[in-house]
Amino acid sequence: MSTNVEHIECLIVGSGPAGYTAAIYAARADLKPVMYAGMQPGGQLTITTDVENYPGYPEGIMGPEMMELFRKQAERFGTDIRYGMITSVDFSGKPPFKLIADENHEILADTVIIATGASAKWLGIPSEEKLNGRGVSACAVCDGFFFRGKDVAIVGAGDTACEEASYLAKICSKVYMIVRRNEFRASKAMVNRVMNTPNIEVLFESETDEILGEDKVTGARLKNTKTGELKEIAISGFFVAIGHHPNTDIFKGFLDMDETGYLKTIPGTSKTNIEAVFACGDAQDKIYRQAVTAAGSGCMAALDAERYLAAKQDA
Ligand code: NDP
């Protein structure tokens, strides 16, 4: 073992609302947490604009600013925040577990809190990137409100797309659902809900050729996947709901995950299948995915880690 090994009581991997909340609680419990904040500190909220549904901010707050406040609060209680990546882990055997940061720094951690989040999948067309935050969004619950009374479109045919289309239909005048095949992937109940909502129009066998607009979304050009025919729709908002990818690849082979990579935790706790390893936030939640639920689960993870360490000390 190299002389470079660092012993850490509580290592937090990831820095969204879940990671920072875990850090606040762990630091206040004197676990001397060290956080590896990743390459995009603050996570998904740093790419959103106004956050209006997080309690405590009656006027709303910008996502990046909110994450800055979370970071300051975590630092105030002594969290050691490092701008780097955990690049490999070894959860075999018993804790403390060996992890490698930034390819060459060895860490031995008594407890590990995983808060690596998930990333929204995007279509990958240039206009989507250009208009991101200017009418293009991957979160209807976050941004739907800005399109009250307007026409919008949503791409996807899974449960998320159906749920978000139903949500948008309550706020917007009209919701176009852009579905690439001639059928849904979502559960029957969700599909029924969509089909029975008068202001949702499902456009089957359609893909997005281009999102239109210079400074903000004004429309979309769709292509029929069978005939190649192009058609334009006038919209103010364009939502992408084609799935998320949890950032859990480095834990494969050690932690139990579902078929899409979301970490499994014991219901009602943040405990994974490995002793001393806890998971919180979007890395283990594909259903709610809200800043406030992520923060709540980060609190759970820190409390579980603290109790684990206390029980070990008593043993
Ligand atoms: P899914 O992977 O289930 O669905 C993704 C959808 O996006 C599919 O319909 C897919 O089309 C479509 N899609 C993928 N790529 C593209 C593309 N490039 N262009 C156009 N369309 C594309 O993701 P979800 O986020 O909907 O759901 C993830 C999991 O979470 C599922 O297991 C779901 O059941 C669960 N969930 C449950 C909820 C609940 O129970 N309340 C709520 C939300 C999610 P295609 O069908 O053609 O492949």
Side-chain angles (χ1 to χ4, degrees):
M1 197 177 281
S2 85
T3 50
N4 202 17
V5 180
E6 181 185 18
H7 194 150
I8 292 172
E9 208 172 331
C10 178
L11 176 72
I12 299 170
V13 191
S15 61
Y20 283 134
T21 305
I24 292 163
Y25 275 78
R28 286 171 58 81
D30 207 22
L31 305 187
K32 300 173 188 63
V34 173
M35 170 188 280
Y36 273 82
M39 301 308 278
Q40 190 186 13
Q44 291 182 82
L45 276 177
T46 59
I47 52 164
T48 49
T49 50
D50 299 80
V51 179
E52 295 192 328
N53 53 9
Y54 198 97
Y57 299 95
E59 306 303 326
I61 183 166
M62 299 299 273
E65 189 189 344
M66 183 172 155
M67 285 301 92
E68 189 61 15
L69 295 173
F70 272 50
R71 180 184 64 74
K72 282 187 181 152
Q73 195 171 352
E75 274 180 340
R76 179 179 155 212
F77 298 110
T79 307
D80 177 351
I81 300 177
R82 301 176 186 173
Y83 295 94
M85 301 285 284
I86 294 297
T87 44
S88 72
V89 306
D90 181 359
F91 292 153
S92 56
K94 290 267 166 204
F97 292 122
K98 192 169 102 177
L99 300 96
I100 307 285
D102 299 325
E103 310 287 354
N104 59 20
H105 179 59
E106 269 187 43
I107 291 168
L108 276 181
D110 292 330
T111 58
V112 179
I113 293 178
I114 297 168
T116 45
S119 308
K121 289 185 192 161
W122 296 97
L123 297 173
I125 53 177
S127 50
E128 173 189 57
E129 202 180 327
K130 183 180 91 177
L131 293 164
N132 199 331
R134 296 162 180 214
V136 172
S137 164
C139 179
V141 179
C142 319
D143 297 328
F145 182 80
F146 303 115
F147 305 98
R148 180 175 287 267
K150 299 192 170 148
D151 291 358
V152 299
I154 182 162
V155 188
D159 281 326
T160 302
C162 288
E163 199 167 73
E164 298 204 339
S166 305
Y167 177 85
L168 290 167
K170 293 195 191 106
I171 305 171
C172 305
S173 338
K174 171 150 191 161
V175 180
Y176 294 99
M177 231 180 141
I178 306 167
V179 175
R180 66 178 173 183
R181 292 183 295 142
N182 63 357
E183 58 178 343
F184 283 93
R185 179 178 293 277
S187 57
K188 221 172 172 175
M190 292 284 203
V191 174
N192 283 342
R193 200 195 295 173
V194 162
M195 295 312 250
N196 290 322
T197 306
N199 63 336
I200 299 179
E201 182 180 340
V202 183
L203 305 170
F204 287 107
E205 295 178 337
S206 298
E207 64 184 26
T208 311
D209 189 52
E210 206 66 73
I211 305 163
L212 307 172
E214 275 312 310
D215 302 328
K216 58 184 174 96
V217 172
T218 55
R221 189 169 58 238
L222 310 180
K223 187 175 176 181
N224 186 296
T225 54
K226 277 259 166 70
T227 63
E229 188 193 330
L230 295 172
K231 86 169 200 177
E232 286 188 10
I233 51 172
I235 46 165
S236 308
F238 185 92
F239 290 87
V240 180
I242 60 171
H244 283 74
H245 179 72
N247 304 317
T248 57
D249 289 353
I250 60 166
F251 309 113
K252 275 191 181 134
F254 295 109
L255 297 183
D256 287 349
M257 356 184 134
D258 72 7
E259 63 292 346
T260 47
Y262 285 90
L263 299 176
K264 288 188 179 169
T265 49
I266 297 171
T269 78
S270 67
K271 295 175 188 170
T272 68
N273 58 305
I274 303 276
E275 172 191 355
V277 179
F278 307 92
C280 53
D282 286 12
Q284 52 84 56
D285 168 23
K286 65 180 176 190
I287 307 288
Y288 301 104
R289 295 197 294 241
Q290 299 301 300
V292 69
T293 50
S297 71
C299 162
M300 287 165 66
L303 293 179
D304 285 341
E306 182 194 356
R307 284 171 194 162
Y308 168 81
L309 288 167
K312 235 183 154 189
Q313 224 167 29
D314 291 346

